[in-house]
Amino acid sequence: MERNGNVEPEEVIKRNAEMLAAPLAAAERMLPRGSGHFPSVDALKEIVRLAKTIVFPDFVDMRRNSRTMRSYLVGTSLEKLYSSLSREIVHAIRFSADRTEGDADNEARGLALRFIDMLPEIRRLLYTDVEAMYDNDPAVDNYAEVILCYPVVQAMVNYRLAHALLTLGIPVIPRILTELAHSLTGIDIHPGAAIGEYFAIDHGTGVVIGETCVIGSHVTLYQGVTLGAKNFTLDSHGHPVNIPRHPIIEDNVTVYSNSTILGRITVGRGSVIGGNVWLTYSVPPGSRILQGKAVSD
């Protein structure tokens, strides 16, 4: 039916609602095996916020300068984090596998408690990252400026939380956390990457760190650096195989802006990789790799 030469909105909506509500083979093939709810992105954002109040209490809430008040408020935040994280882990487990709610709930509570036991070490690592940023940037006046202003801190909070959750075998949630940071900061760190202490990223926009990267301690990256895969090994069905395929960056390495390091290669400790370098081969400790210069006749 048309009205004044136009199609009735109700008819268009009804027709498309029927088509869109019908099963789609591709969608059914892509759905996970489980039947639970997907973890809440908003709840995970709140979990990250709670974690920051626990890790950086004096910088997030000045009431915590009192030792007695700090202990109470950190404890309250831990209780909230435990409750919320347990619930989201239940969703992640049930969404990813066919599990009863009771079984998933018991497992989730145990995993959440194990994660809380990891927070003191996560806090220690994050403070080393803050110190590394402060020591590497002459433009910063104090540590509080790093914690409150620098995007690398948000990226590393999300990454270190996500990496801990991934080591516990928790599905889905680690990727959500690092992609939240990616959206906020432009820094893309896969939660599977292994990153040592005193890690600094200056500026940060466009940095990519792949899943199987191994990064040592006292490493500094600048904006636009890619630590990626050179190629993929495929299985008999043509799907990429998840094997180590990203670089190993040893201790005390600096990689300057817009350099690309690809493949399972090793950059030896104490090396400096200059800006705009394309590197696909291993280099020994103490190397200085710079962009080639034009040679005149």
Side-chain angles (χ1 to χ4, degrees):
M1 175 186 294
E2 293 189 0
R3 182 174 57 192
N4 298 328
N6 296 318
V7 178
E8 288 281 3
E10 293 83 358
E11 291 298 323
V12 174
I13 292 170
K14 180 181 178 181
R15 180 175 70 251
N16 284 279
E18 290 174 351
M19 288 189 291
L20 292 169
L24 185 67
E28 292 183 346
R29 175 172 51 84
M30 294 177 186
L31 281 172
R33 298 186 302 275
S35 58
H37 297 289
F38 195 74
S40 166
V41 172
D42 288 337
L44 292 174
K45 289 179 181 178
E46 175 62 13
I47 285 168
V48 172
R49 189 195 68 80
L50 285 169
K52 286 185 75 173
T53 67
I54 293 165
V55 170
F56 301 118
D58 296 327
F59 299 92
V60 177
D61 188 340
M62 296 305 294
R63 294 176 299 168
R64 299 168 190 244
N65 286 336
S66 160
R67 186 174 181 87
T68 302
M69 183 63 75
R70 179 191 299 172
S71 179
Y72 167 75
L73 292 171
V74 169
T76 301
S77 294
L78 280 171
E79 287 182 350
K80 292 179 180 177
L81 187 149
Y82 168 69
S83 176
S84 183
L85 182 59
S86 297
R87 182 169 56 252
E88 297 313 312
I89 294 174
V90 169
H91 294 328
I93 292 172
R94 296 200 68 212
F95 192 80
S96 301
D98 189 12
R99 300 281 297 281
T100 67
E101 187 170 357
D103 287 344
D105 184 68
N106 288 334
E107 183 178 355
R109 291 180 184 278
L111 289 168
L113 287 175
R114 289 173 62 189
F115 173 76
I116 288 174
D117 273 337
M118 301 170 81
L119 282 174
E121 175 61 9
I122 292 172
R123 180 179 71 160
R124 186 192 72 79
L125 288 169
L126 286 169
Y127 274 95
T128 71
D129 298 334
V130 170
E131 189 169 345
M133 276 307 313
Y134 179 83
D135 290 342
N136 279 281
D137 191 352
V140 65
D141 293 326
N142 54 66
Y143 293 108
E145 185 178 341
V146 175
I147 291 170
L148 298 174
C149 303
Y150 278 40
V152 64
V153 174
Q154 184 65 64
M156 291 307 293
V157 167
N158 284 47
Y159 158 74
R160 296 216 183 269
L161 296 175
H163 184 72
L165 292 167
L166 188 69
T167 63
L168 293 173
I170 296 169
V172 180
I173 291 176
R175 286 304 301 272
I176 296 175
L177 293 187
T178 52
E179 289 305 326
L180 286 173
H182 184 193
S183 298
L184 286 171
T185 68
I187 299 171
D188 183 3
I189 307 176
H190 193 286
I195 301 178
E197 60 188 11
Y198 296 96
F199 180 65
I201 302 177
D202 200 1
H203 302 294
T205 305
V207 167
V208 177
I209 300 175
E211 177 187 14
T212 62
C213 273
V214 178
I215 299 175
S217 299
H218 298 277
V219 170
T220 299
L221 308 181
Y222 285 78
Q223 69 272 16
V225 168
T226 295
L227 305 179
K230 184 179 179 181
N231 49 46
F232 302 102
T233 300
L234 304 179
D235 63 18
S236 59
H237 301 288
H239 299 142
V241 179
N242 190 7
I243 60 175
R245 59 197 180 279
H246 299 103
I248 299 170
I249 310 296
E250 294 185 342
D251 297 347
N252 300 104
V253 168
T254 299
V255 184
Y256 283 98
S257 59
N258 298 313
S259 283
T260 298
I261 303 175
L262 301 181
R264 194 59 166 185
I265 64 174
T266 298
V267 177
R269 63 180 297 124
S271 294
V272 174
I273 309 301
N276 296 297
V277 166
W278 182 275
L279 186 64
T280 58
Y281 55 89
S282 294
V283 297
S287 297
R288 299 291 183 270
I289 308 298
L290 305 177
Q291 185 181 35
K293 296 181 180 179
V295 179
S296 58
D297 295 332

